[in-house]
Amino acid sequence: MRYGEAYPLESTWKAMEHCVELGLTKHIGLSNFNSKQILHIIKNGKIRPAVLQCESHPYMTQEKLIKFCKDEGITFTAYSPLGSRDRPWAKSDDPSLFDDSYLKDIAKAKNTSIANILIRYQVQRGVTVLPKSTHKDRIKSNLEVWHFELSDEEMRHVGSLNRNWRACLPTVRLADGSIVSRDDKHSFWPFKEEF
Ligand SMILES: NC(=O)c1ccc[n+]([C@@H]2O[C@H](COP(=O)([O-])OP(=O)(O)OC[C@H]3O[C@@H](n4cnc5c(N)ncnc54)[C@H](OP(=O)(O)O)[C@@H]3O)[C@@H](O)[C@H]2O)c1
């Protein structure tokens, strides 16, 4: 099978269900699926997905997808919650959460880091969150989100920063030098749906 051809999602899910039956894993989940694709798995599978892992941060809040997951009893996990700062395909004019004036102000007012505001935002709205760091001190400090709270107004304000901007849209450079999306021609490309 060549890249870009569509191997049926339900066949892959069936193989994952088999792993549960064999006792190789307790739970199975999805990543980068939209709501229609998730419903397809629920309808055609025996085991419901336990979790959906998707990009989320204040510039990509995913309100609708998170509500959909809550209604379906699926745990939502936010990946790239800090905006995936070290992504290789970053462009110089991409927005940066770490330069956001509101996030800077609120971090200063609470005597914490912008990273911790971004992590606390997800925790406080009931989303599991997956920040990454290659530095031991940051891995430790990224856990320090339990000594402060965001008020309802602050939560609303952070959520209002949404601009449906995805950090995680990998690109490739073609032989002619042009840079194009790596995956958007794939028949299962999930991001053409609203959520
Ligand atoms: N399922 C998927 O399709 C998918 C896609 C993307 C990512 N993920 C997963 O999600 C996790 C996180 O995503 P990500 O790595 O893209 O993005 P991220 O966690 O949003 O950002 C990681 C970047 O933030 C920096 N950072 C971490 N803590 C910081 C702090 N306290 N202050 C300032 N900068 C800080 C890191 O630098 P240092 O390392 O220098 O600290 C790194 O450059 C990873 O485990 C990844 O595997 C999953």
Side-chain angles (χ1 to χ4, degrees):
M1 176 160 284
R2 289 208 317 272
Y3 177 75
E5 283 180 34
Y7 193 77
L9 294 175
E10 56 272 25
S11 308
T12 305
W13 190 251
K14 207 171 175 183
M16 289 168 69
E17 288 176 331
H18 194 49
C19 292
V20 177
E21 285 153 12
L22 291 174
L24 298 174
T25 183
K26 287 185 181 168
H27 302 288
I28 50 178
L30 302 168
S31 184
N32 297 317
F33 270 44
N34 63 42
S35 56
K36 286 186 182 166
Q37 291 170 324
I38 297 168
L39 284 174
H40 180 79
I41 293 295
I42 291 173
K43 194 170 148 228
N44 292 285
K46 283 187 286 183
I47 301 176
R48 288 174 77 83
V51 66
L52 174 71
Q53 191 181 111
C54 275
E55 175 172 345
S56 181
H57 44 69
Y59 291 167
M60 185 70 208
T61 52
Q62 302 272 28
E63 296 295 342
K64 290 187 178 172
L65 191 55
I66 289 171
K67 172 158 188 335
F68 169 86
C69 285
K70 271 191 185 145
D71 292 347
E72 293 295 334
I74 297 169
T75 298
F76 186 94
T77 296
Y79 74 63
S80 303
L82 312 179
S84 195
R85 306 186 79 198
D86 56 349
R87 64 195 184 284
W89 52 85
K91 297 193 292 305
S92 55
D93 57 348
D94 280 347
S96 165
L97 292 158
F98 285 76
D99 293 332
D100 187 284
S101 56
Y102 180 72
L103 296 173
K104 276 187 190 171
D105 287 351
I106 200 171
K108 196 171 173 199
K110 296 197 181 283
N111 199 23
T112 188
S113 64
I114 292 178
N116 282 3
I117 297 291
L118 296 170
I119 295 165
R120 176 76 204 191
Y121 167 67
Q122 301 291 359
V123 170
Q124 212 171 302
R125 65 181 186 150
V127 158
T128 57
V129 57
L130 193 57
K132 183 203 74 184
S133 177
T134 53
H135 293 94
K136 200 174 171 183
D137 55 336
R138 282 180 170 170
I139 293 171
K140 214 169 152 223
S141 69
N142 287 348
L143 289 167
E144 288 163 11
V145 296
W146 307 104
H147 63 288
F148 70 94
E149 263 183 61
L150 299 171
S151 68
D152 291 348
E153 176 50 27
E154 288 163 342
M155 284 296 288
R156 262 195 300 279
H157 198 133
V158 175
S160 76
L161 301 175
N162 183 44
R163 45 177 97 169
N164 291 329
W165 173 74
R166 289 183 195 277
C168 286
L169 290 177
T171 54
V172 284
R173 187 184 290 275
L174 300 181
D176 66 3
S178 59
I179 295 174
V180 297
S181 167
R182 190 189 67 186
D183 304 323
D184 69 354
K185 302 287 181 293
H186 194 282
S187 52
F188 292 151
W189 176 248
F191 304 139
K192 53 183 180 266
E193 297 295 334
E194 186 195 355
F195 68 98

